[in-house]
Amino acid sequence: MKSFLSSSSPSSFIALGRHRLVSPPYWLFILLLFMLFVSFLFSEDVLSVFQTLPRHPSKSFSGSSKEKQKRHEKLPFAIGETPEGCDVFSGRWVKDDSGHPLYEESECPYIQPQLTCLEHGRPDKEYRNWRWQPHGCSLRRFNATLMLENLRGKRMMFVGDSLNRGQYVSMVCLLHSIIPQGSKSMETFGSLKVFTAKDYNATIEFYWAPFLLESNSDNAIVHRIPDRMVRQGSINKHGNNWKGVDIIVFNTYLWWMTGQKMKMLRGSFEDEVKHFVAMETEDAYRVALRSMLEWVKENMDPKKTRVFFTSMSPHHPEGEEWGEPGANCYNQTTPIEDTSFWPKEASKSMMGVIGEVFPESEVPITLLNITQLSGYRKDAHTQIYKKQWNPVTPEQMANPRSYADCVHWCLPGLQDTWNELLFVKLFYP
Ligand SMILES: *[C@@H]1O[C@H](CO)[C@@H](O)[C@H](O)[C@H]1NC(C)=O
Ligand SMILES: *[C@@H]1O[C@H](CO)[C@@H](O)[C@H](O)[C@H]1NC(C)=O
Ligand SMILES: *[C@@H]1O[C@H](CO)[C@@H](O)[C@H](O)[C@H]1NC(C)=O
Ligand SMILES: *[C@@H]1O[C@H](CO)[C@@H](O)[C@H](O)[C@H]1NC(C)=O
């Protein structure tokens, strides 16, 4: 609300008014009150328009009136349209043994051992065989040739946490099989991973920045820090490494969920005595998302580039949510069928912050609203079938549920669908 006011014209009247109040004639004072009242009405009005937007994620948060004019202008990379009124994020899972998975785990050497479930002994395989069916239309099939042709001479980058890294690896797996051996490479430079398709002069990159802002969890390998702290106003610390990309896919969510207030650093991480404020998670998240939008405005050209944001990836630690008390994701082999299921965690206000902040963006941001569709997929997590950080203890072995990973997703699997949706939103917005 505050920032909205400061970017709309009525606030300049208020600011002007404040100076004159030193010695105000009464009529001026009344006029001021009136203006304040009008500006309040106005902002409420506009806010309520914004609040309706999140219910139409397919319109990709084109919130401001300027964006509304642009809605019918062609977005970069667009070659067609999704049928009017089809929200591709609203639908159901359909068993699809012939069409999915889109690649085999053993065919993609880039999947990190934390996500190769079959290799780590997962007994059931059906989690790979589901297709997302939107209610309003059918998804266009992911076309790797089309994707690579359009990435010719370009850079695509995923920025965020381990869930975004999963989506990144999925994208590389979806594309790499049509590139001959010797014409592709994968390199790591600190926080940056770069997959290069040499004949296309194209790169698909991942940059580790779990909070987007600078934080004490930024080391790409050693980042398991319980006492997390992010630095306010630091978006360029990482953002300098994202400049010049043509397609950027952000995510950030999981790391904010500490259950405590978030420490927002006001100085520098080098300061001996650190000056920070403890903020409500939601407020800190808002600060980070606004910084991201600022970076986007400064660095992304809406005529040539595209910006995506992947919404919260739900986890399944609590079977009670889907009517199976005491269970979690362990040993789950089928999706939740109740179409009204909505992950409890997603009702928290964090999703609301996205709906509140994104309409402020001057550059169109396409939300990949994967929260509900992933919420159905209690079967798609890595469970215990992954490379473990620490050796499994006998107690854990006796109770596998206790150490199941109900956050990350097996590959191939659910995250390939996220990329099928990214594909659709990129080419057929
Ligand atoms: C995401 O999609 C779900 C299901 O279609 C919808 O209920 C929700 O409002 C959407 N959220 C946002 C932030 O667009
Ligand atoms: C995939 O895209 C390429 C390049 O645009 C096109 O030639 C081909 O027909 C497409 N394949 C399918 C199955 O649509
Ligand atoms: C390769 O792509 C980069 C952008 O990623 C561009 O700057 C460069 O000019 C391209 N080189 C060739 C030979 O096309
Ligand atoms: C796994 O689920 C099956 C039913 O689908 C059940 O029979 C079995 O006991 C479960 N195993 C464990 C270890 O919970």
Side-chain angles (χ1 to χ4, degrees):
M1 175 93 165
K2 190 160 148 274
S3 115
F4 179 75
L5 276 176
S6 68
S7 65
S8 68
S9 52
S11 70
S12 51
F13 289 121
I14 297 166
L16 185 72
R18 228 178 262 133
H19 290 297
R20 298 225 183 137
L21 273 176
V22 177
S23 166
Y26 275 120
W27 64 266
L28 184 58
F29 190 65
I30 287 164
L31 181 66
L32 260 169
L33 273 178
F34 177 71
M35 280 174 166
L36 258 171
F37 178 65
V38 169
S39 78
F40 178 73
L41 276 186
F42 172 74
S43 61
E44 281 294 294
D45 198 35
V46 176
L47 276 176
S48 68
V49 170
F50 281 173
Q51 274 154 3
T52 64
L53 276 167
R55 276 180 241 134
H56 306 282
S58 60
K59 298 247 156 55
S60 74
F61 284 102
S62 309
S64 70
S65 54
K66 202 168 42 178
E67 296 309 331
K68 271 186 200 124
Q69 288 165 9
K70 278 198 210 154
R71 193 165 280 172
H72 293 289
E73 271 174 36
K74 199 169 149 294
L75 285 168
F77 293 93
I79 56 174
E81 286 177 2
T82 291
E84 185 88 31
C86 175
D87 174 2
V88 292
F89 302 110
S90 167
R92 65 198 164 93
W93 288 102
V94 176
K95 198 71 190 307
D96 176 32
D97 295 328
S98 58
H100 286 79
L102 298 173
Y103 55 89
E104 289 298 330
E105 183 183 297
S106 56
E107 286 165 12
C108 186
Y110 308 104
I111 311 175
Q112 58 271 48
Q114 285 80 23
L115 306 182
T116 48
C117 295
L118 295 184
E119 191 193 343
H120 290 90
R122 182 158 177 169
D124 60 311
K125 298 192 172 61
E126 306 209 324
Y127 67 90
R128 309 165 314 145
N129 299 120
W130 297 88
R131 174 173 67 80
W132 180 246
Q133 175 64 59
H135 291 308
C137 56
S138 280
L139 283 190
R140 285 178 195 262
R141 233 184 124 70
F142 188 92
N143 182 334
T145 312
L146 179 66
M147 186 85 197
L148 270 175
E149 283 300 339
N150 281 278
L151 287 178
R152 204 174 269 284
K154 295 201 161 65
R155 294 172 67 195
M156 175 180 203
M157 188 186 270
F158 292 76
V159 175
D161 61 24
S162 56
L163 289 154
N164 213 23
R165 186 168 52 210
Q167 187 178 355
Y168 163 71
V169 171
S170 156
M171 180 60 88
V172 171
C173 290
L174 286 165
L175 297 179
H176 93 101
S177 63
I178 62 167
I179 306 168
Q181 207 63 43
S183 298
K184 56 193 170 191
S185 65
M186 178 70 94
E187 293 160 286
T188 302
F189 310 92
S191 294
L192 186 66
K193 273 184 177 305
V194 181
F195 175 82
T196 306
K198 290 178 189 145
D199 301 339
Y200 294 86
N201 184 30
T203 59
I204 304 162
E205 311 175 29
F206 170 75
Y207 187 94
W208 171 261
F211 292 99
L212 305 183
L213 296 177
E214 184 183 5
S215 78
N216 61 356
S217 310
D218 287 344
N219 187 298
I221 294 154
V222 188
H223 49 237
R224 310 191 125 207
I225 293 162
D227 189 22
R228 295 172 196 170
M229 196 185 284
V230 295
R231 187 174 139 235
Q232 190 150 11
S234 62
I235 193 78
N236 287 327
K237 169 80 197 301
H238 297 311
N240 287 335
N241 299 290
W242 317 332
K243 287 184 177 172
V245 304
D246 299 279
I247 301 171
I248 195 160
V249 185
F250 291 107
N251 93 327
T252 185
Y253 176 81
L254 186 64
W255 285 69
W256 299 91
M257 295 290 112
T258 59
Q260 290 150 19
K261 288 195 172 181
M262 185 51 78
K263 289 182 179 154
M264 190 61 85
L265 185 68
R266 288 286 162 78
S268 131
F269 278 106
E270 268 75 61
D271 295 346
E272 218 160 288
V273 179
K274 293 193 175 46
H275 176 52
F276 65 83
V277 288
M279 286 173 115
E280 294 298 335
T281 309
E282 184 183 326
D283 294 331
Y285 192 59
R286 187 180 293 107
V287 167
L289 291 186
R290 289 223 167 99
S291 297
M292 179 191 87
L293 295 189
E294 249 165 66
W295 184 89
V296 161
K297 184 178 150 197
E298 294 291 313
N299 295 284
M300 298 297 284
D301 176 353
K303 292 200 180 65
K304 295 198 189 111
T305 67
R306 290 287 295 278
V307 182
F308 292 87
F309 186 91
T310 306
S311 67
M312 183 208 123
S313 170
H315 54 202
H316 294 86
E318 211 22 271
E320 191 135 24
E321 275 192 66
W322 60 87
E324 218 183 312
N328 64 13
C329 73
Y330 175 66
N331 200 24
Q332 301 290 337
T333 54
T334 53
I336 293 167
E337 280 170 33
D338 173 8
T339 51
S340 67
F341 179 78
W342 181 248
K344 193 167 89 206
E345 181 200 4
S347 321
K348 293 202 187 124
S349 36
M350 300 282 277
M351 288 285 275
V353 176
I354 294 175
E356 174 196 333
V357 171
F358 282 16
E360 296 169 2
S361 178
E362 292 176 33
V363 176
I365 298 198
T366 306
L367 183 74
L368 293 179
N369 181 3
I370 53 81
T371 303
Q372 188 173 36
L373 67 92
S374 307
Y376 299 132
R377 295 302 306 276
K378 62 179 168 55
D379 61 317
H381 291 287
T382 52
Q383 305 182 8
I384 60 170
Y385 309 109
K386 59 182 281 188
K387 184 180 171 193
Q388 304 293 338
W389 285 96
N390 303 309
V392 179
T393 64
E395 294 78 46
Q396 286 178 320
M397 228 171 288
N399 181 12
R401 192 173 293 148
S402 67
Y403 73 102
D405 179 345
C406 298
V407 172
H408 298 98
W409 312 96
C410 301
L411 281 184
L414 171 68
Q415 293 192 299
D416 303 321
T417 297
W418 298 5
N419 281 321
E420 293 181 270
L421 290 160
L422 173 58
F423 174 86
V424 166
K425 282 290 173 190
L426 181 62
F427 295 116
Y428 307 95

